[in-house]
Amino acid sequence: RLLKQLMEAADIDPKRWPARMLGGVISRWKDRGLPPEKVGIAEAGDIANGRVRALYERYQTRLIALNAVDFGDLLLHMLSIFTTHSDVLADYQSRITHIMVDEYQESDPQQRELLRILACDDMILCADDLSTVGRFRGADPEGLAQELDHYRNKGRSLQLDINYRNSPEIMRLSNAFATEKFSTS
């Protein structure tokens, strides 16, 4: 609703540039940790006739004035707090003993950075299956598995090898697709 109000004030055509689409652009920038001032002109491009970066700036200013946040802000604010206030981070680390990450292969860079900052040596970290089922959505199981090695080296790793969401045939085909080992059987 806020974005629609700001679009109307900026005379951005909602039929040509739907608020949902522009909100998605802003959300992806936040997922990458880009506040408005770090969004380059080339990256903003022609979106909303070249006005999406200014819209993002006004959106953030208005959120602050309303004492409101969106989902991307929740992560960015936590990262900012933890990186600038080591006492707050230490307090959270002392109280958290377990971290469970569901759908790790679908996490964005800001979510993974929050995990890297928050996790410490004596925590138990559980991450779900890094199967190749999500590869069609851009998941990178091999890269994420390498990233998780950092955590595996700090403790014990358990492999949960039963997938309750997908049949064995779907898993076999998915893994064959990922490794390009197709068979006709």
Side-chain angles (χ1 to χ4, degrees):
R1 193 168 70 203
L2 174 59
L3 199 53
K4 286 180 182 181
Q5 292 170 359
L6 294 171
M7 288 172 59
E8 185 177 329
D11 198 29
I12 296 173
D13 181 9
K15 288 186 172 77
R16 171 76 173 105
W17 305 102
R20 179 173 294 235
M21 191 267 295
L22 295 180
V25 170
I26 291 170
S27 180
R28 283 187 295 280
W29 286 337
K30 288 184 178 190
D31 290 347
R32 292 176 35 221
L34 295 175
E37 64 274 10
K38 289 191 179 177
V39 174
I41 294 170
E43 179 148 15
D46 294 354
I47 303 170
N49 301 324
R51 295 182 287 169
V52 71
R53 185 179 179 273
L55 181 68
Y56 182 17
E57 288 175 357
R58 286 191 296 279
Y59 176 69
Q60 285 305 111
T61 300
R62 192 72 182 119
L63 284 174
I64 291 167
L66 294 169
N67 197 27
V69 295
D70 60 17
F71 183 74
D73 288 331
L74 293 174
L75 293 172
L76 291 173
H77 290 325
M78 288 306 301
L79 283 168
S80 175
I81 290 168
F82 286 158
T83 56
T84 58
H85 300 282
S86 59
D87 58 324
V88 175
L89 174 61
D91 181 53
Y92 274 83
Q93 288 174 330
S94 71
R95 292 188 284 147
I96 297 172
T97 59
H98 294 71
I99 297 177
M100 171 60 191
V101 183
D102 189 25
E103 303 295 344
Y104 188 90
Q105 73 276 8
E106 295 180 9
S107 61
D108 64 50
Q110 296 305 315
Q111 292 167 334
R112 289 192 298 271
E113 180 64 17
L114 181 61
L115 179 62
R116 276 191 289 276
I117 289 171
L118 192 55
C120 60
D121 289 347
D122 48 345
M123 283 184 193
I124 297 173
L125 174 68
C126 304
D128 65 343
D129 176 33
L130 294 176
S131 71
T132 57
V133 171
R135 189 178 286 270
F136 73 92
R137 291 187 307 265
D140 178 14
E142 291 82 16
L144 291 171
Q146 290 172 357
E147 189 173 315
L148 283 176
D149 282 344
H150 168 76
Y151 302 108
R152 282 191 193 101
N153 293 334
K154 292 184 175 189
R156 199 170 76 173
S157 174
L158 299 174
Q159 175 82 25
L160 302 177
D161 55 5
I162 299 173
N163 185 313
Y164 292 100
R165 291 186 195 163
N166 300 298
S167 70
E169 182 64 12
I170 289 173
M171 292 306 298
R172 184 187 72 75
L173 289 171
S174 172
N175 289 324
F177 175 75
T179 58
E180 300 183 77
K181 296 178 183 174
F182 294 97
S183 72
T184 56
S185 58

